[in-house]
DNA sequence: CTGAAAGCGCTTACAG
DNA sequence: CTGAAAGCGCTTACAG
């Protein structure tokens, strides 16, 4: 029967390490932090002893932090990052997006030996949590995802820690750092693919315009339509009335309304809903892809992808990674970069659901 | 144009507070931590000054931690909890479950002024992250979700910090602390509901038995079937061959195989798949609920629920909350409790999809 | 009920 | 290239 431990054991300290390696604590510390003043042989000896006595997992986090706080040194701490998950009135699939982002961010942070502190902000009073983390010096910066606007950014700036926005935002006033997806490019990529197959009448169906990405996608769709010389019938890019409930009768109605020239391809620009649309199309006797090609949008991490439809994929975990790296740079560089933006490109995965029109 | 701050301002210290409140740092510290030795008037004065000068967000996390490490005092720190998200070979909807758990845990932790450090463990080397967090004293305990088994538990125990398992586990060897859902009760609740409506032939369709909860649910189904005096035709509880792809033809076939006495109600015991089953049933001409009542299983946080089917709901965020509270008790109590288990009850939400059989 | 002082385990300016 | 010593901002045993 295993007896559960209740107290942490006395940990191996830097003192112990120094004694065993026959150097001063100064040298031991400097050696572990790869300071150039330490002779290579010494550094290696210290590293070897650290490994042997189990110090390789690092020094006391609290002591290191406290000691470093004395100097405004070159090496600013980058130990903990607050990941703010901003929950707005609209929720829905944001959760999966958040998780994918967080996953990527955590991966990058772990490699930098930093960790991710999760903070869910929904109510007004949740900001107290954020303030506490800043004022008690728990975190060194923020990653924030959700419906970020100017008010939010000001709030974060007041805490005097840098932040990087993950995904789209509605900030107009100040410069911000952000990592996002080229959503106009998503629609363009989808169009280019089916246009190359010979389609000319291609419809966009997507959600209501609650999110920024949905607007961008539709805008991108409309301009790509024009630039690629495709049919620009406004009904092809209008809001599809059936989208919310995917009722078979309304889908049928929508198709019938096109009369003699229905779309030969559909780009469904909302996360994880295309599979259902496919079932519905089939249930009303539409042959996919023979009659209508179908192209999907997958906004998730790489290993979520189980669909075998043709689809445009956006790398949300990569976005999280990039945002974390960006924040690391901002925190440690201390450079004068006021704003920065990384925009990730989508990729197309060819599946069975798109063919040339007959 | 806002200029982004790069360095933290000099923070308000306990010294500052003590000076302004005309007490010693000792008294200030004790007052803030509600130590009984401090006179009530003094405590209030200190609190008022803290509020005024902006110390109310708390002391330096690192300094407090370091100072407390000296004594094995009654008040063990409970500042940061590591949330281990164990990603096994099987993934899928675990992500949504994880997020709901995490959400609940974060909520409870925030109220305890603690925060949640997210750690995703997938590869073997990810355990180094976990070890580092333990050895550097970043976290005071663990919450863990995923496919937990004896090997994992041993690994965590070696780190000498307590942990609580969220959800089911496959641990046989030692005593553990866990918070979970009564999944046998989920199936029973579903059966009781439709049995009360007068159904006797009720089918269970669910996923393959990869997860512990799936086994428990089917077992619960079978015993409740017997105890409620329902039809125990083994085909009603056998693995439904159509479940993975939900192909309409196979669903049709499955129903036809029952011959003259098909089930009058179906309990679909897998997370978020019932809506699709409903569409499929309708597409093959089955009238729900007139011909077949349908009852669903929703394993998610409260605000995910958008379905209006009759469904059994399990409170995953509440499970996260309970696990966090349990861990807090274990860490701060230091009592002799070796193992504990909280089992949360599901609830039934009556929707339109179940009626008495005609 | 209160305060002066020691000390937590590191980092780093300073003096060799 | 190295080490003795100061100090980060708290908590708390100890002495009033």
């Amino acid at each position: 029967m295993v007896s559960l431990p209740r107290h942490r054991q006395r940990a191996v300290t830097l003192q112990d390490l120094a004694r065993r390696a026959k150097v001063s604590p100064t040298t031991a510390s400097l050696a572990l932090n790869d300071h150039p003043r330490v002779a290579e042989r010494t550094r290696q000896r210290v590293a070897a002893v650290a490994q042997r006595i189990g110090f390789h997992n690092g020094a006391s986090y609290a002591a290191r932090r406290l000691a470093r706080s004395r100097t405004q040194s070159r090496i600013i701490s980058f130990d903990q990052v607050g990941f703010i998950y901003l929950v707005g009135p609209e929720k829905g699939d944001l959760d999966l997006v958040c998780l994918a982002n967080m996953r990527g961010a955590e991966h990058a942070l772990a490699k930098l030996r930093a960790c991710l502190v999760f903070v869910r902000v929904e109510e007004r009073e949740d900001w107290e949590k954020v303030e506490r983390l800043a004022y008690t010096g728990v975190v060194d910066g923020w990653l924030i995802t959700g419906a970020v606007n100017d008010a939010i950014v000001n709030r974060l700036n007041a805490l005097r820690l840098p932040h990087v926005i993950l995904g789209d935002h509605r900030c107009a006033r100040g410069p911000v750092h952000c990592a996002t997806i080229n959503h106009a490019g998503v629609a363009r990529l989808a169009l280019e693919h089916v246009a190359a197959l010979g389609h000319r009448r291609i419809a966009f169906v997507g959600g209501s315009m609650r999110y920024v990405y949905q607007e961008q996608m539709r805008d991108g769709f409309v301009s790509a339509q024009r630039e690629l010389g495709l049919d620009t019938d406004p009904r092809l890019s209008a809001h599809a009335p059936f989208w919310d409930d995917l009722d078979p009768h309304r889908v049928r109605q929508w198709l019938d309304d096109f009369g003699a020239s229905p779309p030969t391809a559909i780009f469904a620009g909302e996360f994880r809903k295309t599979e259902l649309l496919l079932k519905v199309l089939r249930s009303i006797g539409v042959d996919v892809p023979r009659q209508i090609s179908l192209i999907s949008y997958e906004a998730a991490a790489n290993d979520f992808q189980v669909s075998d439809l043709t689809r445009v994929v956006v790398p949300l975990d990569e976005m999280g990674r990039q945002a974390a790296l960006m924040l690391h740079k901002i925190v440690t560089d201390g450079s004068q970069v006021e704003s920065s933006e990384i925009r990730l490109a989508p990729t197309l995965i060819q599946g069975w659901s798109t063919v040339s029109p007959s």
Side-chain angles (χ1 to χ4, degrees), chain A:
Chain A
M1 197 103 308
V2 181
S3 94
L4 286 183
R6 265 194 315 288
H7 296 300
R8 221 167 297 138
Q9 279 181 311
R10 180 181 171 289
V12 181
T13 69
L14 189 76
Q15 294 269 358
D16 301 331
L17 171 60
R19 211 172 2 248
R20 300 289 285 274
K22 295 192 197 308
V23 290
S24 68
T26 306
T27 303
S29 170
L30 261 25
L32 290 175
N33 291 308
D34 287 325
H35 193 285
R37 88 156 214 195
V38 178
E40 181 55 22
R41 281 197 46 187
T42 314
R43 202 191 59 67
Q44 285 186 4
R45 190 171 73 247
V46 172
V49 176
Q51 171 82 22
R52 182 155 55 79
I53 68 174
F55 194 82
H56 57 286
N57 283 292
S60 156
Y61 166 77
R64 178 154 45 80
R65 231 181 145 66
L66 186 60
R68 280 196 180 156
S69 71
R70 180 153 52 127
T71 54
Q72 295 285 49
S73 76
R74 222 142 307 278
I75 305 159
I76 302 281
S77 286
F78 190 76
D79 297 322
Q80 303 205 152
V81 168
F83 185 98
I84 301 177
Y85 173 27
L86 204 61
V87 186
E90 68 270 331
K91 288 166 198 177
D93 278 322
L94 185 60
D95 292 297
L96 276 174
V97 173
C98 161
L99 197 64
N101 284 333
M102 195 165 76
R103 183 193 278 212
E106 193 269 344
H107 191 75
L109 290 173
K111 288 203 171 171
L112 297 165
R113 309 203 117 207
C115 62
L116 185 153
V117 177
F118 175 75
V119 198
R120 189 162 181 272
V121 174
E122 182 166 9
E123 319 274 330
R124 176 177 285 274
E125 55 263 37
D126 288 336
W127 281 101
E128 286 175 19
K129 302 190 288 195
V130 173
E131 288 175 2
R132 192 163 59 240
L133 291 177
Y135 291 146
T136 56
V138 171
V139 303
D140 302 302
W142 305 104
L143 296 174
I144 180 165
T145 178
V148 180
N149 56 31
D150 285 318
I152 306 281
V153 166
N154 287 340
R155 208 152 197 166
L156 282 179
N157 282 340
L159 301 178
R160 310 256 127 198
L161 286 176
H163 66 268
V164 170
I165 302 172
L166 283 83
D168 300 309
H169 56 85
R170 299 190 190 266
C171 298
R173 278 224 289 281
V176 295
H177 299 275
C178 77
T180 183
I181 301 277
N182 179 5
H183 277 112
V186 169
R188 172 174 300 269
L189 193 58
L191 272 184
E192 282 172 354
H193 169 70
V194 281
L197 288 173
H199 293 268
R200 284 296 165 266
R201 283 185 73 71
I202 305 156
F204 173 78
V205 298
S208 53
M209 300 288 105
R210 293 178 308 176
Y211 299 115
V212 178
Y213 85 89
Q214 290 169 329
E215 288 172 18
Q216 294 177 344
M217 209 139 71
R218 193 179 294 265
D219 291 350
F221 184 86
V222 172
S223 30
Q225 230 181 10
R226 221 179 358 251
E227 289 163 36
L228 296 171
L230 302 171
D231 206 332
T232 57
D233 181 342
R235 287 175 301 176
L236 291 171
S237 54
H239 176 65
F242 60 78
W243 188 244
D244 285 337
D245 60 351
L246 279 174
D247 179 65
H249 299 101
R250 299 181 71 183
V251 176
R252 179 77 271 169
Q253 188 61 50
W254 177 75
L255 280 174
D256 289 348
D257 284 350
F258 282 101
S261 51
T264 61
I266 295 177
F267 170 52
E270 198 180 0
F271 191 39
R272 319 207 118 197
K273 233 173 159 176
T274 321
E275 297 277 358
L276 196 51
L277 175 61
L278 171 65
K279 300 257 179 208
V280 171
L281 283 172
R282 286 185 164 163
S283 77
I284 60 172
V286 174
D287 184 346
V288 177
R290 216 106 27 114
Q291 276 175 274
I292 293 185
S293 283
L294 193 56
I295 182 163
S296 175
Y297 166 60
E298 198 67 50
N302 289 323
D303 56 353
F304 271 131
Q305 294 154 24
V306 285
S307 168
D308 50 4
L309 303 175
T310 299
R311 58 206 185 273
V312 179
V313 175
V314 299
L316 290 183
D317 45 0
E318 180 60 21
M319 185 172 112
R321 276 198 61 233
Q322 292 295 340
L325 295 175
M326 191 186 259
L327 183 63
H328 177 247
K329 202 175 156 209
I330 294 166
V331 170
T332 54
D333 261 27
S335 70
Q336 296 296 331
V337 178
E338 176 179 78
S339 79
S340 44
E341 178 175 309
I342 286 181
R343 198 166 275 272
L344 295 171
T347 47
L348 183 106
I349 298 183
Q350 167 87 58
W352 60 267
S353 65
T354 48
V355 295
S356 291
S358 44

